[in-house]
PDB file of all heavy atoms in Angstrom:
ATOM      1  N   ALA A 351     180.955  13.923 125.959  1.00  0.00           N
ATOM      2  CA  ALA A 351     180.583  14.568 127.229  1.00  0.00           C
ATOM      3  C   ALA A 351     179.108  14.869 127.303  1.00  0.00           C
ATOM      4  O   ALA A 351     178.648  15.706 127.895  1.00  0.00           O
ATOM      5  CB  ALA A 351     181.385  15.850 127.430  1.00  0.00           C
ATOM      6  N   MET A 352     178.357  13.845 126.654  1.00  0.00           N
ATOM      7  CA  MET A 352     176.842  14.145 126.805  1.00  0.00           C
ATOM      8  C   MET A 352     176.283  13.735 128.096  1.00  0.00           C
ATOM      9  O   MET A 352     176.856  12.957 128.816  1.00  0.00           O
ATOM     10  CB  MET A 352     176.131  13.273 125.625  1.00  0.00           C
ATOM     11  CG  MET A 352     176.130  11.794 125.795  1.00  0.00           C
ATOM     12  SD  MET A 352     175.642  10.878 124.396  1.00  0.00           S
ATOM     13  CE  MET A 352     173.896  10.778 124.598  1.00  0.00           C
ATOM     14  N   THR A 353     175.156  14.331 128.373  1.00  0.00           N
ATOM     15  CA  THR A 353     174.509  13.972 129.660  1.00  0.00           C
ATOM     16  C   THR A 353     173.297  13.210 129.237  1.00  0.00           C
ATOM     17  O   THR A 353     172.835  13.201 128.086  1.00  0.00           O
ATOM     18  CB  THR A 353     174.176  15.142 130.415  1.00  0.00           C
ATOM     19  OG1 THR A 353     173.538  16.117 129.576  1.00  0.00           O
ATOM     20  CG2 THR A 353     175.376  15.899 131.070  1.00  0.00           C
ATOM     21  N   GLY A 354     172.743  12.626 130.167  1.00  0.00           N
ATOM     22  CA  GLY A 354     171.511  11.927 129.952  1.00  0.00           C
ATOM     23  C   GLY A 354     171.647  10.670 129.056  1.00  0.00           C
ATOM     24  O   GLY A 354     171.249  10.579 128.002  1.00  0.00           O
ATOM     25  N   PHE A 355     172.301   9.620 129.703  1.00  0.00           N
ATOM     26  CA  PHE A 355     172.585   8.474 129.004  1.00  0.00           C
ATOM     27  C   PHE A 355     171.330   7.500 129.010  1.00  0.00           C
ATOM     28  O   PHE A 355     171.424   6.493 128.483  1.00  0.00           O
ATOM     29  CB  PHE A 355     173.814   7.784 129.645  1.00  0.00           C
ATOM     30  CG  PHE A 355     175.168   8.299 129.295  1.00  0.00           C
ATOM     31  CD1 PHE A 355     176.059   8.793 130.182  1.00  0.00           C
ATOM     32  CD2 PHE A 355     175.482   8.231 127.896  1.00  0.00           C
ATOM     33  CE1 PHE A 355     177.255   9.252 129.884  1.00  0.00           C
ATOM     34  CE2 PHE A 355     176.784   8.760 127.539  1.00  0.00           C
ATOM     35  CZ  PHE A 355     177.724   9.259 128.555  1.00  0.00           C
ATOM     36  N   ALA A 356     170.389   7.965 129.657  1.00  0.00           N
ATOM     37  CA  ALA A 356     169.182   7.046 129.875  1.00  0.00           C
ATOM     38  C   ALA A 356     168.690   6.402 128.648  1.00  0.00           C
ATOM     39  O   ALA A 356     168.448   5.175 128.568  1.00  0.00           O
ATOM     40  CB  ALA A 356     168.109   7.786 130.563  1.00  0.00           C
ATOM     41  N   GLN A 357     168.582   7.185 127.571  1.00  0.00           N
ATOM     42  CA  GLN A 357     168.005   6.587 126.317  1.00  0.00           C
ATOM     43  C   GLN A 357     168.951   5.627 125.755  1.00  0.00           C
ATOM     44  O   GLN A 357     168.447   4.509 125.289  1.00  0.00           O
ATOM     45  CB  GLN A 357     167.777   7.827 125.401  1.00  0.00           C
ATOM     46  CG  GLN A 357     166.552   7.541 124.620  1.00  0.00           C
ATOM     47  CD  GLN A 357     166.505   8.396 123.312  1.00  0.00           C
ATOM     48  OE1 GLN A 357     167.278   9.397 123.213  1.00  0.00           O
ATOM     49  NE2 GLN A 357     165.800   8.107 122.327  1.00  0.00           N
ATOM     50  N   LEU A 358     170.234   5.890 125.729  1.00  0.00           N
ATOM     51  CA  LEU A 358     171.221   4.965 125.206  1.00  0.00           C
ATOM     52  C   LEU A 358     171.114   3.708 126.054  1.00  0.00           C
ATOM     53  O   LEU A 358     170.980   2.603 125.501  1.00  0.00           O
ATOM     54  CB  LEU A 358     172.670   5.516 125.362  1.00  0.00           C
ATOM     55  CG  LEU A 358     173.182   6.580 124.368  1.00  0.00           C
ATOM     56  CD1 LEU A 358     174.606   6.816 124.636  1.00  0.00           C
ATOM     57  CD2 LEU A 358     172.891   6.032 122.968  1.00  0.00           C
ATOM     58  N   ARG A 359     171.011   3.814 127.394  1.00  0.00           N
ATOM     59  CA  ARG A 359     170.927   2.675 128.178  1.00  0.00           C
ATOM     60  C   ARG A 359     169.831   1.830 127.790  1.00  0.00           C
ATOM     61  O   ARG A 359     169.987   0.518 127.764  1.00  0.00           O
ATOM     62  CB  ARG A 359     170.950   3.095 129.724  1.00  0.00           C
ATOM     63  CG  ARG A 359     171.208   2.039 130.643  1.00  0.00           C
ATOM     64  CD  ARG A 359     170.861   2.426 132.180  1.00  0.00           C
ATOM     65  NE  ARG A 359     171.572   3.682 132.413  1.00  0.00           N
ATOM     66  CZ  ARG A 359     172.765   3.755 133.078  1.00  0.00           C
ATOM     67  NH1 ARG A 359     173.416   2.646 133.495  1.00  0.00           N
ATOM     68  NH2 ARG A 359     173.295   4.920 133.303  1.00  0.00           N
ATOM     69  N   THR A 360     168.634   2.409 127.619  1.00  0.00           N
ATOM     70  CA  THR A 360     167.474   1.618 127.432  1.00  0.00           C
ATOM     71  C   THR A 360     167.590   0.802 126.040  1.00  0.00           C
ATOM     72  O   THR A 360     167.312  -0.398 125.942  1.00  0.00           O
ATOM     73  CB  THR A 360     166.231   2.557 127.185  1.00  0.00           C
ATOM     74  OG1 THR A 360     166.211   3.377 128.277  1.00  0.00           O
ATOM     75  CG2 THR A 360     165.044   1.753 127.161  1.00  0.00           C
ATOM     76  N   ARG A 361     168.267   1.541 125.081  1.00  0.00           N
ATOM     77  CA  ARG A 361     168.429   0.793 123.707  1.00  0.00           C
ATOM     78  C   ARG A 361     169.514  -0.422 124.028  1.00  0.00           C
ATOM     79  O   ARG A 361     169.388  -1.463 123.380  1.00  0.00           O
ATOM     80  CB  ARG A 361     168.805   1.841 122.776  1.00  0.00           C
ATOM     81  CG  ARG A 361     167.653   2.822 122.450  1.00  0.00           C
ATOM     82  CD  ARG A 361     167.903   3.563 121.194  1.00  0.00           C
ATOM     83  NE  ARG A 361     168.063   2.685 119.995  1.00  0.00           N
ATOM     84  CZ  ARG A 361     168.532   3.156 118.863  1.00  0.00           C
ATOM     85  NH1 ARG A 361     168.775   4.539 118.842  1.00  0.00           N
ATOM     86  NH2 ARG A 361     168.791   2.345 117.906  1.00  0.00           N
ATOM     87  N   ILE A 362     170.468  -0.063 124.785  1.00  0.00           N
ATOM     88  CA  ILE A 362     171.479  -1.104 124.919  1.00  0.00           C
ATOM     89  C   ILE A 362     170.925  -2.293 125.696  1.00  0.00           C
ATOM     90  O   ILE A 362     171.046  -3.447 125.207  1.00  0.00           O
ATOM     91  CB  ILE A 362     172.734  -0.586 125.693  1.00  0.00           C
ATOM     92  CG1 ILE A 362     173.502   0.551 124.845  1.00  0.00           C
ATOM     93  CG2 ILE A 362     173.736  -1.776 126.115  1.00  0.00           C
ATOM     94  CD1 ILE A 362     174.518   1.262 125.566  1.00  0.00           C
TER      95      ILE A 362
END
Side-chain angles (χ1 to χ4, degrees):
Chain A
M352 68 193 271
T353 48
F355 281 119
Q357 218 201 338
L358 282 186
R359 191 189 309 265
T360 313
R361 293 192 56 192
I362 294 166

